Amino acid sequence: MKMTQRPGWTPARLREHREAHGLTLEAAGERLRQAATVHGLSVPAANFQTLWAHEQGTVFPGPHYRRAYCLLYQATEPELGFRPPLPGESQKAEIVISELPAPTDPAADNAAAQVIEEAFTKVSVGGIEPGDSPQSLLRGRVVDAWRRRHGGGSPRPILVLVGGYAGSGKTEFSRFLSDVTGWAFLDKDSLTRSIVERLLVSLGGDPNDRHSDLYLKEVRPLEYRCLMETAWDNLNVGTSTILSAPFIAELKDKAWFTRLENRCAAKGIDVAAIWVRCDPESMREYIEFRGAARDAWKLGNWDQYAEGLDLEVSPPTAHLTVDNRLGAAISLADQTRESLRRIFT
C-alpha cells in the first residue's frame, strides 16, 4: 500500500481515537457528517473507504475533514496526528465545561467571556499586551459585544477590517468573530463578485482576472468602494460591522487608514484592523479546496504568486495579528464555538 508523504503526519492516531470512542468506520463517518452539519461546515462524504484511507495514510484528509475530525473527537490537529504543533502553539481553549454554572446563572456569561478572551489571546501572534494596548482594547470590544447581546455592554459601534492573503482563513475567522459578537459580517466576494465579473467582461477582460492592470486600476477600486459604502450603511444606524477582504494595499497605507480612523472618530465609531497570517502550503490547500475560478491564475502560477507575498510582516496598521499557520487559529475558533454552545445548551 502506497503511503502519502506529509511532514509530521501520523495516520494511526485517527484509528486510535476512533477505537477509543468505540466507533466503527461507518459510525465514525455518520458522526463526522453530523458534526459538520451542526457547525455549518462543508459536509464531507465520509464513507468508510475514505476514512480507512485516512487511517492507513494513503489519503491526507482535506481541510473540511480535519475540522470535522477535530470537532468530533474534541481534539486538536496535532493530537490527531495531522501535523506537529507549532512552536508555542496553544492546543486548546482550556475550560472544564462540567464545572461551569447553569446557563440561567449570570456567571455563565462570565464563563463564556473567559473562553472568548482565552481564544483571542491564543490565536494572537505574540499574545495580548496588557493595559490599553490595541490588542487588549479590541479583545475587550469583542467580549463587550458578547455581554451586550445578553443585556449589557457599550452601544458604541465598531468597524473591524479582517485582511489577509487569499486562502489565509480571514473569512472563516470573520465568521467566528461575527458568531461571538453578533456584529454584521460582510464578505467582499459575496457582496461584489457577480458585478465584478460582469464588469470585467463588459470591459473586454476575463471575468476571473484579479491580477491585470484592468482589474487593479478600473475594477478593484469600485469593488472596495461598494464594500466600504455598505459598511457605512450599517455603521450609520449603529450596527457594528466586520469586513472580510484582502485589504493588502489599504492596510499597508498609513494615510488611508488614518483617514478611515478620522472619519470613524467623527461619527463616534471605533475602528480596528486584524491581519490573518498563514503559511503558503496551507493557503494553497484552502484555495484548491474552495475551487473558485478566480483562483486559477494563482494555482497555475503558484511559485510566482507565492514569491510576491510578504508572509512574515504584518501591515503597520494592524491592531492584531492572528496566527493561522497550519489552520491553528481556525481550529481553536471551532473549539471555542463548541465550548460556547455547550455552556448555553
Side-chain angles (χ1 to χ4, degrees), residues 6 20 25 28 40 46 49-51 70 77 101 111 115 117 136 141 150 164 200 220 258 269 307 310 318 324 328 337:
R6 191 85 177 194
L25 286 168
Q49 296 98 330
T50 300
L51 270 60
C70 288
E77 288 201 1
V115 172
E117 287 184 348
S136 180
R141 286 305 309 273
H150 293 265
L200 283 167
R220 187 184 186 278
T258 297
I269 298 167
E307 286 176 1
D310 190 358
N324 195 38
R337 282 191 184 101

PDB file of all heavy atoms in Angstrom, residues 6 20 25 28 40 46 49-51 70 77 101 111 115 117 136 141 150 164 200 220 258 269 307 310 318 324 328 337:
ATOM      1  N   ARG A   6       3.599  13.264   4.121  1.00  0.00           N
ATOM      2  CA  ARG A   6       3.198  14.570   4.652  1.00  0.00           C
ATOM      3  C   ARG A   6       4.013  14.806   5.917  1.00  0.00           C
ATOM      4  O   ARG A   6       3.961  13.991   6.847  1.00  0.00           O
ATOM      5  CB  ARG A   6       1.706  14.558   4.980  1.00  0.00           C
ATOM      6  CG  ARG A   6       1.123  15.921   5.296  1.00  0.00           C
ATOM      7  CD  ARG A   6       0.720  16.633   4.030  1.00  0.00           C
ATOM      8  NE  ARG A   6       0.091  17.913   4.327  1.00  0.00           N
ATOM      9  CZ  ARG A   6      -0.587  18.613   3.445  1.00  0.00           C
ATOM     10  NH1 ARG A   6      -0.724  18.186   2.203  1.00  0.00           N
ATOM     11  NH2 ARG A   6      -1.116  19.773   3.774  1.00  0.00           N
ATOM     12  N   ALA A  20     -10.945   4.380  20.484  1.00  0.00           N
ATOM     13  CA  ALA A  20     -11.149   4.799  21.871  1.00  0.00           C
ATOM     14  C   ALA A  20     -12.584   5.252  22.114  1.00  0.00           C
ATOM     15  O   ALA A  20     -13.099   5.149  23.230  1.00  0.00           O
ATOM     16  CB  ALA A  20     -10.178   5.925  22.223  1.00  0.00           C
ATOM     17  N   LEU A  25     -15.949   2.289  11.386  1.00  0.00           N
ATOM     18  CA  LEU A  25     -15.707   3.267  10.327  1.00  0.00           C
ATOM     19  C   LEU A  25     -17.013   3.899   9.859  1.00  0.00           C
ATOM     20  O   LEU A  25     -17.092   5.107   9.632  1.00  0.00           O
ATOM     21  CB  LEU A  25     -14.983   2.612   9.151  1.00  0.00           C
ATOM     22  CG  LEU A  25     -13.500   2.291   9.367  1.00  0.00           C
ATOM     23  CD1 LEU A  25     -12.987   1.386   8.253  1.00  0.00           C
ATOM     24  CD2 LEU A  25     -12.679   3.581   9.412  1.00  0.00           C
ATOM     25  N   ALA A  28     -18.269   6.288  12.555  1.00  0.00           N
ATOM     26  CA  ALA A  28     -17.437   7.492  12.582  1.00  0.00           C
ATOM     27  C   ALA A  28     -17.808   8.418  11.428  1.00  0.00           C
ATOM     28  O   ALA A  28     -17.858   9.647  11.589  1.00  0.00           O
ATOM     29  CB  ALA A  28     -15.965   7.124  12.521  1.00  0.00           C
ATOM     30  N   GLY A  40     -22.041  24.069  10.711  1.00  0.00           N
ATOM     31  CA  GLY A  40     -22.134  24.848   9.485  1.00  0.00           C
ATOM     32  C   GLY A  40     -20.950  24.707   8.563  1.00  0.00           C
ATOM     33  O   GLY A  40     -20.645  25.620   7.794  1.00  0.00           O
ATOM     34  N   ALA A  46     -17.540  11.279   3.797  1.00  0.00           N
ATOM     35  CA  ALA A  46     -17.199  10.465   4.970  1.00  0.00           C
ATOM     36  C   ALA A  46     -17.648   9.018   4.836  1.00  0.00           C
ATOM     37  O   ALA A  46     -18.160   8.437   5.794  1.00  0.00           O
ATOM     38  CB  ALA A  46     -17.772  11.101   6.241  1.00  0.00           C
ATOM     39  N   GLN A  49     -14.643   3.923   3.086  1.00  0.00           N
ATOM     40  CA  GLN A  49     -13.411   3.774   2.301  1.00  0.00           C
ATOM     41  C   GLN A  49     -12.494   4.982   2.488  1.00  0.00           C
ATOM     42  O   GLN A  49     -11.273   4.830   2.632  1.00  0.00           O
ATOM     43  CB  GLN A  49     -13.729   3.609   0.817  1.00  0.00           C
ATOM     44  CG  GLN A  49     -14.510   2.346   0.478  1.00  0.00           C
ATOM     45  CD  GLN A  49     -15.992   2.617   0.344  1.00  0.00           C
ATOM     46  OE1 GLN A  49     -16.512   3.524   0.995  1.00  0.00           O
ATOM     47  NE2 GLN A  49     -16.677   1.841  -0.487  1.00  0.00           N
ATOM     48  N   THR A  50     -13.079   6.182   2.504  1.00  0.00           N
ATOM     49  CA  THR A  50     -12.271   7.390   2.681  1.00  0.00           C
ATOM     50  C   THR A  50     -11.658   7.437   4.076  1.00  0.00           C
ATOM     51  O   THR A  50     -10.474   7.758   4.247  1.00  0.00           O
ATOM     52  CB  THR A  50     -13.133   8.640   2.439  1.00  0.00           C
ATOM     53  OG1 THR A  50     -13.652   8.606   1.110  1.00  0.00           O
ATOM     54  CG2 THR A  50     -12.303   9.905   2.626  1.00  0.00           C
ATOM     55  N   LEU A  51     -12.457   7.123   5.095  1.00  0.00           N
ATOM     56  CA  LEU A  51     -11.937   7.138   6.462  1.00  0.00           C
ATOM     57  C   LEU A  51     -10.834   6.106   6.636  1.00  0.00           C
ATOM     58  O   LEU A  51      -9.832   6.344   7.326  1.00  0.00           O
ATOM     59  CB  LEU A  51     -13.070   6.888   7.468  1.00  0.00           C
ATOM     60  CG  LEU A  51     -13.790   8.148   7.978  1.00  0.00           C
ATOM     61  CD1 LEU A  51     -14.428   8.934   6.836  1.00  0.00           C
ATOM     62  CD2 LEU A  51     -14.830   7.791   9.024  1.00  0.00           C
ATOM     63  N   CYS A  70     -11.629  17.104  14.253  1.00  0.00           N
ATOM     64  CA  CYS A  70     -11.291  17.802  15.493  1.00  0.00           C
ATOM     65  C   CYS A  70     -12.534  18.059  16.337  1.00  0.00           C
ATOM     66  O   CYS A  70     -12.509  17.924  17.560  1.00  0.00           O
ATOM     67  CB  CYS A  70     -10.583  19.122  15.175  1.00  0.00           C
ATOM     68  SG  CYS A  70      -8.901  18.934  14.550  1.00  0.00           S
ATOM     69  N   GLU A  77      -5.472  19.362  15.826  1.00  0.00           N
ATOM     70  CA  GLU A  77      -4.809  18.702  14.704  1.00  0.00           C
ATOM     71  C   GLU A  77      -3.539  17.980  15.132  1.00  0.00           C
ATOM     72  O   GLU A  77      -3.301  16.841  14.712  1.00  0.00           O
ATOM     73  CB  GLU A  77      -4.526  19.712  13.591  1.00  0.00           C
ATOM     74  CG  GLU A  77      -5.777  20.155  12.855  1.00  0.00           C
ATOM     75  CD  GLU A  77      -5.471  20.718  11.476  1.00  0.00           C
ATOM     76  OE1 GLU A  77      -4.288  20.740  11.082  1.00  0.00           O
ATOM     77  OE2 GLU A  77      -6.429  21.108  10.780  1.00  0.00           O
ATOM     78  N   PRO A 101     -21.274  27.208  35.711  1.00  0.00           N
ATOM     79  CA  PRO A 101     -22.606  27.377  36.287  1.00  0.00           C
ATOM     80  C   PRO A 101     -23.686  27.154  35.252  1.00  0.00           C
ATOM     81  O   PRO A 101     -23.431  27.135  34.052  1.00  0.00           O
ATOM     82  CB  PRO A 101     -22.594  28.840  36.765  1.00  0.00           C
ATOM     83  CG  PRO A 101     -21.570  29.496  35.890  1.00  0.00           C
ATOM     84  CD  PRO A 101     -20.525  28.447  35.637  1.00  0.00           C
ATOM     85  N   ALA A 111     -18.270  33.097  32.324  1.00  0.00           N
ATOM     86  CA  ALA A 111     -17.505  31.943  31.862  1.00  0.00           C
ATOM     87  C   ALA A 111     -17.327  31.987  30.348  1.00  0.00           C
ATOM     88  O   ALA A 111     -16.250  31.689  29.825  1.00  0.00           O
ATOM     89  CB  ALA A 111     -18.214  30.650  32.289  1.00  0.00           C
ATOM     90  N   VAL A 115     -13.845  32.256  27.990  1.00  0.00           N
ATOM     91  CA  VAL A 115     -13.498  31.420  26.835  1.00  0.00           C
ATOM     92  C   VAL A 115     -13.098  32.292  25.649  1.00  0.00           C
ATOM     93  O   VAL A 115     -12.105  32.024  24.956  1.00  0.00           O
ATOM     94  CB  VAL A 115     -14.695  30.514  26.450  1.00  0.00           C
ATOM     95  CG1 VAL A 115     -14.420  29.796  25.133  1.00  0.00           C
ATOM     96  CG2 VAL A 115     -14.958  29.494  27.550  1.00  0.00           C
ATOM     97  N   GLU A 117     -11.989  35.423  25.677  1.00  0.00           N
ATOM     98  CA  GLU A 117     -10.717  36.090  25.955  1.00  0.00           C
ATOM     99  C   GLU A 117      -9.546  35.138  25.723  1.00  0.00           C
ATOM    100  O   GLU A 117      -8.526  35.513  25.130  1.00  0.00           O
ATOM    101  CB  GLU A 117     -10.695  36.594  27.394  1.00  0.00           C
ATOM    102  CG  GLU A 117     -11.574  37.806  27.641  1.00  0.00           C
ATOM    103  CD  GLU A 117     -11.450  38.325  29.064  1.00  0.00           C
ATOM    104  OE1 GLU A 117     -10.870  37.603  29.902  1.00  0.00           O
ATOM    105  OE2 GLU A 117     -11.904  39.452  29.334  1.00  0.00           O
ATOM    106  N   SER A 136      -5.472  44.538  23.333  1.00  0.00           N
ATOM    107  CA  SER A 136      -6.324  44.392  24.512  1.00  0.00           C
ATOM    108  C   SER A 136      -7.653  45.115  24.328  1.00  0.00           C
ATOM    109  O   SER A 136      -8.713  44.608  24.718  1.00  0.00           O
ATOM    110  CB  SER A 136      -5.592  44.928  25.747  1.00  0.00           C
ATOM    111  OG  SER A 136      -6.387  44.793  26.902  1.00  0.00           O
ATOM    112  N   ARG A 141     -13.519  44.823  23.216  1.00  0.00           N
ATOM    113  CA  ARG A 141     -14.724  45.121  22.446  1.00  0.00           C
ATOM    114  C   ARG A 141     -15.463  43.839  22.060  1.00  0.00           C
ATOM    115  O   ARG A 141     -16.701  43.807  22.031  1.00  0.00           O
ATOM    116  CB  ARG A 141     -14.373  45.919  21.187  1.00  0.00           C
ATOM    117  CG  ARG A 141     -14.001  47.365  21.432  1.00  0.00           C
ATOM    118  CD  ARG A 141     -15.087  48.119  22.210  1.00  0.00           C
ATOM    119  NE  ARG A 141     -16.396  47.970  21.635  1.00  0.00           N
ATOM    120  CZ  ARG A 141     -16.899  48.744  20.682  1.00  0.00           C
ATOM    121  NH1 ARG A 141     -16.187  49.747  20.205  1.00  0.00           N
ATOM    122  NH2 ARG A 141     -18.108  48.539  20.216  1.00  0.00           N
ATOM    123  N   HIS A 150     -26.342  39.976  25.785  1.00  0.00           N
ATOM    124  CA  HIS A 150     -27.021  39.383  26.936  1.00  0.00           C
ATOM    125  C   HIS A 150     -27.412  40.449  27.959  1.00  0.00           C
ATOM    126  O   HIS A 150     -27.527  40.168  29.146  1.00  0.00           O
ATOM    127  CB  HIS A 150     -26.113  38.327  27.573  1.00  0.00           C
ATOM    128  CG  HIS A 150     -25.899  37.148  26.679  1.00  0.00           C
ATOM    129  ND1 HIS A 150     -26.647  35.994  26.758  1.00  0.00           N
ATOM    130  CD2 HIS A 150     -25.040  36.956  25.645  1.00  0.00           C
ATOM    131  CE1 HIS A 150     -26.253  35.139  25.822  1.00  0.00           C
ATOM    132  NE2 HIS A 150     -25.274  35.695  25.145  1.00  0.00           N
ATOM    133  N   GLY A 164      -5.965  39.744   4.814  1.00  0.00           N
ATOM    134  CA  GLY A 164      -5.012  38.645   4.676  1.00  0.00           C
ATOM    135  C   GLY A 164      -4.973  38.182   3.238  1.00  0.00           C
ATOM    136  O   GLY A 164      -5.866  38.489   2.445  1.00  0.00           O
ATOM    137  N   LEU A 200     -15.929  43.151 -15.661  1.00  0.00           N
ATOM    138  CA  LEU A 200     -14.710  42.758 -16.375  1.00  0.00           C
ATOM    139  C   LEU A 200     -15.034  42.311 -17.799  1.00  0.00           C
ATOM    140  O   LEU A 200     -14.330  42.677 -18.749  1.00  0.00           O
ATOM    141  CB  LEU A 200     -13.998  41.637 -15.607  1.00  0.00           C
ATOM    142  CG  LEU A 200     -13.214  42.073 -14.372  1.00  0.00           C
ATOM    143  CD1 LEU A 200     -12.838  40.864 -13.525  1.00  0.00           C
ATOM    144  CD2 LEU A 200     -11.970  42.850 -14.761  1.00  0.00           C
ATOM    145  N   ARG A 220     -11.031  47.077  -9.233  1.00  0.00           N
ATOM    146  CA  ARG A 220     -10.775  46.905  -7.802  1.00  0.00           C
ATOM    147  C   ARG A 220     -11.192  48.114  -6.964  1.00  0.00           C
ATOM    148  O   ARG A 220     -11.820  47.949  -5.900  1.00  0.00           O
ATOM    149  CB  ARG A 220      -9.314  46.572  -7.557  1.00  0.00           C
ATOM    150  CG  ARG A 220      -8.994  46.215  -6.099  1.00  0.00           C
ATOM    151  CD  ARG A 220      -7.496  45.993  -5.904  1.00  0.00           C
ATOM    152  NE  ARG A 220      -7.196  45.519  -4.561  1.00  0.00           N
ATOM    153  CZ  ARG A 220      -7.080  46.310  -3.489  1.00  0.00           C
ATOM    154  NH1 ARG A 220      -7.276  47.629  -3.621  1.00  0.00           N
ATOM    155  NH2 ARG A 220      -6.783  45.786  -2.316  1.00  0.00           N
ATOM    156  N   THR A 258      -5.426  56.221   8.364  1.00  0.00           N
ATOM    157  CA  THR A 258      -5.636  57.398   9.205  1.00  0.00           C
ATOM    158  C   THR A 258      -6.901  58.147   8.795  1.00  0.00           C
ATOM    159  O   THR A 258      -7.686  58.598   9.643  1.00  0.00           O
ATOM    160  CB  THR A 258      -4.426  58.335   9.128  1.00  0.00           C
ATOM    161  OG1 THR A 258      -3.272  57.651   9.639  1.00  0.00           O
ATOM    162  CG2 THR A 258      -4.650  59.600   9.943  1.00  0.00           C
ATOM    163  N   ILE A 269     -17.464  56.201  15.996  1.00  0.00           N
ATOM    164  CA  ILE A 269     -17.302  54.783  15.660  1.00  0.00           C
ATOM    165  C   ILE A 269     -15.865  54.364  15.939  1.00  0.00           C
ATOM    166  O   ILE A 269     -14.922  55.070  15.565  1.00  0.00           O
ATOM    167  CB  ILE A 269     -17.625  54.542  14.168  1.00  0.00           C
ATOM    168  CG1 ILE A 269     -19.080  54.901  13.878  1.00  0.00           C
ATOM    169  CG2 ILE A 269     -17.327  53.098  13.763  1.00  0.00           C
ATOM    170  CD1 ILE A 269     -19.407  55.000  12.394  1.00  0.00           C
ATOM    171  N   GLU A 307       6.040  33.936  -4.283  1.00  0.00           N
ATOM    172  CA  GLU A 307       7.251  34.747  -4.109  1.00  0.00           C
ATOM    173  C   GLU A 307       6.931  36.211  -3.854  1.00  0.00           C
ATOM    174  O   GLU A 307       7.722  36.932  -3.242  1.00  0.00           O
ATOM    175  CB  GLU A 307       8.146  34.617  -5.345  1.00  0.00           C
ATOM    176  CG  GLU A 307       8.868  33.282  -5.443  1.00  0.00           C
ATOM    177  CD  GLU A 307       9.667  33.163  -6.729  1.00  0.00           C
ATOM    178  OE1 GLU A 307       9.669  34.135  -7.519  1.00  0.00           O
ATOM    179  OE2 GLU A 307      10.278  32.098  -6.957  1.00  0.00           O
ATOM    180  N   ASP A 310       4.512  38.730   1.269  1.00  0.00           N
ATOM    181  CA  ASP A 310       5.334  39.022   2.450  1.00  0.00           C
ATOM    182  C   ASP A 310       4.625  38.427   3.660  1.00  0.00           C
ATOM    183  O   ASP A 310       3.810  39.087   4.315  1.00  0.00           O
ATOM    184  CB  ASP A 310       5.504  40.543   2.591  1.00  0.00           C
ATOM    185  CG  ASP A 310       6.539  40.908   3.647  1.00  0.00           C
ATOM    186  OD1 ASP A 310       7.079  39.985   4.287  1.00  0.00           O
ATOM    187  OD2 ASP A 310       6.799  42.103   3.830  1.00  0.00           O
ATOM    188  N   ALA A 318      -2.135  47.144  11.440  1.00  0.00           N
ATOM    189  CA  ALA A 318      -2.851  46.033  12.080  1.00  0.00           C
ATOM    190  C   ALA A 318      -2.849  46.192  13.596  1.00  0.00           C
ATOM    191  O   ALA A 318      -1.803  46.409  14.215  1.00  0.00           O
ATOM    192  CB  ALA A 318      -2.215  44.706  11.693  1.00  0.00           C
ATOM    193  N   ASN A 324      -2.678  31.914  11.885  1.00  0.00           N
ATOM    194  CA  ASN A 324      -3.434  30.793  11.329  1.00  0.00           C
ATOM    195  C   ASN A 324      -2.549  29.864  10.504  1.00  0.00           C
ATOM    196  O   ASN A 324      -3.023  29.182   9.603  1.00  0.00           O
ATOM    197  CB  ASN A 324      -4.593  31.298  10.463  1.00  0.00           C
ATOM    198  CG  ASN A 324      -5.601  30.206  10.171  1.00  0.00           C
ATOM    199  OD1 ASN A 324      -5.895  29.378  11.032  1.00  0.00           O
ATOM    200  ND2 ASN A 324      -6.116  30.159   8.954  1.00  0.00           N
ATOM    201  N   ALA A 328      -4.184  26.737  12.588  1.00  0.00           N
ATOM    202  CA  ALA A 328      -4.262  26.669  14.049  1.00  0.00           C
ATOM    203  C   ALA A 328      -5.354  27.565  14.614  1.00  0.00           C
ATOM    204  O   ALA A 328      -6.080  27.175  15.532  1.00  0.00           O
ATOM    205  CB  ALA A 328      -2.907  27.039  14.653  1.00  0.00           C
ATOM    206  N   ARG A 337     -16.272  27.876  19.624  1.00  0.00           N
ATOM    207  CA  ARG A 337     -17.704  27.788  19.294  1.00  0.00           C
ATOM    208  C   ARG A 337     -18.356  26.627  20.044  1.00  0.00           C
ATOM    209  O   ARG A 337     -19.455  26.757  20.598  1.00  0.00           O
ATOM    210  CB  ARG A 337     -17.882  27.563  17.791  1.00  0.00           C
ATOM    211  CG  ARG A 337     -17.714  28.778  16.910  1.00  0.00           C
ATOM    212  CD  ARG A 337     -18.182  28.412  15.513  1.00  0.00           C
ATOM    213  NE  ARG A 337     -17.981  29.460  14.541  1.00  0.00           N
ATOM    214  CZ  ARG A 337     -16.987  29.475  13.665  1.00  0.00           C
ATOM    215  NH1 ARG A 337     -16.083  28.509  13.657  1.00  0.00           N
ATOM    216  NH2 ARG A 337     -16.886  30.458  12.789  1.00  0.00           N
TER     217      ARG A 337
END
